[in-house]
Amino acid sequence: MKPFSSLLPILFFAGMAILPLLAGDYYQGVGFQLLMWIALTQSWVLLSGFTGYISLGHAVFYGLGGYLTVLTWHIVPLPLAIPLSGLVAALFAGLIGYPVMRVRGPYFVILTFGLAELVKYIVINVEAALGKFGRLMMGAPGLSTLYWVMLALAVAATLLVVLVGRSRFGAGLRAIREDEPAAETVGVPTARYKLGAYALSAAIPGMVGGLAALRTSYFEPQQIFSPTISFTVVTMAMIGGSDRARGPLMGALFLVLLSELLWANLAELYMIILGLLLIGFVLFAPSGIDGLLRRRFGR
């Protein structure tokens, strides 16, 4: 099982690379959404999966990335605008990270959610003051172009989780998750490690948000800063399970495909079924799909 499980991400991304060559626009659009959620969930794992600090504020970095891409549209070349969105999101995380990461447990969850909502309403008020209630992005690249960029981001996010997980940095983050005071005692620079993880986990959503804004060709603060984004990322991470790269990948794949099926056939029951599934995983499979597979087949 171990060699095959290690190949799963490679086989999956190889399949996603072939998809545009074989499928039409609808399936390519679903693939784009799947890759987007994979990148977001992997980035969430970099902070919350490794450290145990559960964040409900991922939407703030996603939204900031989209907002910056809109503001720089036709000003900054697109190949620079997307990385710039990630850089600004990471810098923002670095700026607020020190006070935010001093809070633990449920207070951290509430703080990250509140911060995302605060930034959302600041942007809403700024846009209203400017007389903007939505921005169109004329001439945005087509789906076929954006798909490949999102694929590259999803692969990069997955590789980053793998590399961090195998590094001394990752070992330090896991030590923080298991027992932060003990980690400090043995010399782990917990404050620096947490801040680094926070900034890393912000960069990818910043770039993803920029691509998502280009995909819709429209920016509306309520939509791009929606807390549903953060909740969905956490749900996918919990369903996938573990701090390994394949856990978020399986969680995103499961939920995106299930969502497409439910919206097509049981749209009125979508949220009810989704809620029941999440409760079921929390109660009966807290280690997620990856944990179930490891118990069944080994590592």
Side-chain angles (χ1 to χ4, degrees):
M1 176 67 180
K2 185 176 181 180
F4 179 72
S5 65
S6 300
L7 286 174
L8 278 176
I10 298 173
L11 295 173
F12 171 79
F13 285 121
M16 295 304 292
I18 296 172
L19 179 67
L21 307 177
L22 303 176
D25 287 347
Y26 171 76
Y27 290 104
Q28 199 169 332
V30 173
F32 180 89
Q33 289 294 317
L34 174 57
L35 293 169
M36 181 189 83
W37 289 117
I38 288 171
L40 289 174
T41 308
Q42 297 285 22
S43 68
W44 186 87
V45 166
L46 286 170
L47 173 68
S48 300
F50 283 119
T51 67
Y53 278 68
I54 306 301
S55 170
L56 277 182
H58 238 48
V60 69
F61 308 122
Y62 177 88
L64 283 174
Y67 192 39
L68 185 68
T69 301
V70 170
L71 292 178
T72 59
W73 183 239
H74 290 319
I75 299 173
V76 177
L78 195 55
L80 294 178
I82 298 302
L84 181 62
S85 296
L87 177 61
V88 169
L91 289 174
F92 177 74
L95 181 66
I96 65 170
Y98 183 72
V100 168
M101 297 305 297
R102 290 171 64 89
V103 181
R104 302 180 185 179
Y107 301 104
F108 179 78
V109 178
I110 295 169
L111 179 59
T112 54
F113 176 76
L115 178 66
E117 289 295 286
L118 173 65
V119 173
K120 177 177 77 173
Y121 283 104
I122 288 174
V123 172
I124 288 172
N125 282 284
V126 168
E127 289 290 283
L130 295 173
K132 304 285 187 180
F133 298 95
R135 294 175 184 254
L136 284 172
M137 302 176 70
M138 305 301 293
L143 175 59
S144 57
T145 300
L146 296 176
Y147 181 93
W148 292 107
V149 183
M150 189 63 81
L151 174 60
L153 269 181
V155 171
T158 303
L159 281 174
L160 191 56
V161 170
V162 172
L163 293 174
V164 169
R166 295 176 178 177
S167 68
R168 182 178 179 181
F169 177 52
L173 295 178
R174 288 191 178 100
I176 292 170
R177 181 184 65 196
E178 298 303 323
D179 191 332
E180 188 169 345
E184 289 179 341
T185 301
V186 298
V188 176
T190 56
R192 190 169 78 241
Y193 274 25
K194 289 188 296 182
L195 186 60
Y198 196 46
L200 271 179
S201 74
I204 294 167
M207 291 185 280
V208 171
L211 288 174
L214 292 170
R215 172 74 177 103
T216 59
S217 300
Y218 181 74
F219 174 84
E220 201 284 314
Q222 288 277 10
Q223 181 181 17
I224 203 162
F225 284 96
S226 171
T228 303
I229 294 163
S230 298
F231 297 147
T232 303
V233 168
V234 174
T235 302
M236 288 177 173
M238 292 179 67
I239 288 176
S242 87
D243 58 6
R244 302 170 186 226
R246 64 176 182 260
L249 192 152
M250 288 187 287
L253 179 62
F254 176 83
L255 201 57
V256 167
L257 295 181
L258 181 67
S259 298
E260 288 296 316
L261 179 65
L262 292 179
W263 274 118
N265 299 288
L266 297 167
E268 66 280 0
L269 299 176
Y270 171 72
M271 293 305 295
I272 296 174
I273 295 173
L274 209 58
L276 290 173
L277 275 171
L278 182 57
I279 292 170
F281 270 98
V282 170
L283 292 178
F284 304 110
S287 56
I289 297 172
D290 186 56
L292 290 174
L293 293 177
R294 277 188 288 159
R295 283 201 300 272
R296 177 65 179 83
F297 300 105
R299 296 173 66 85

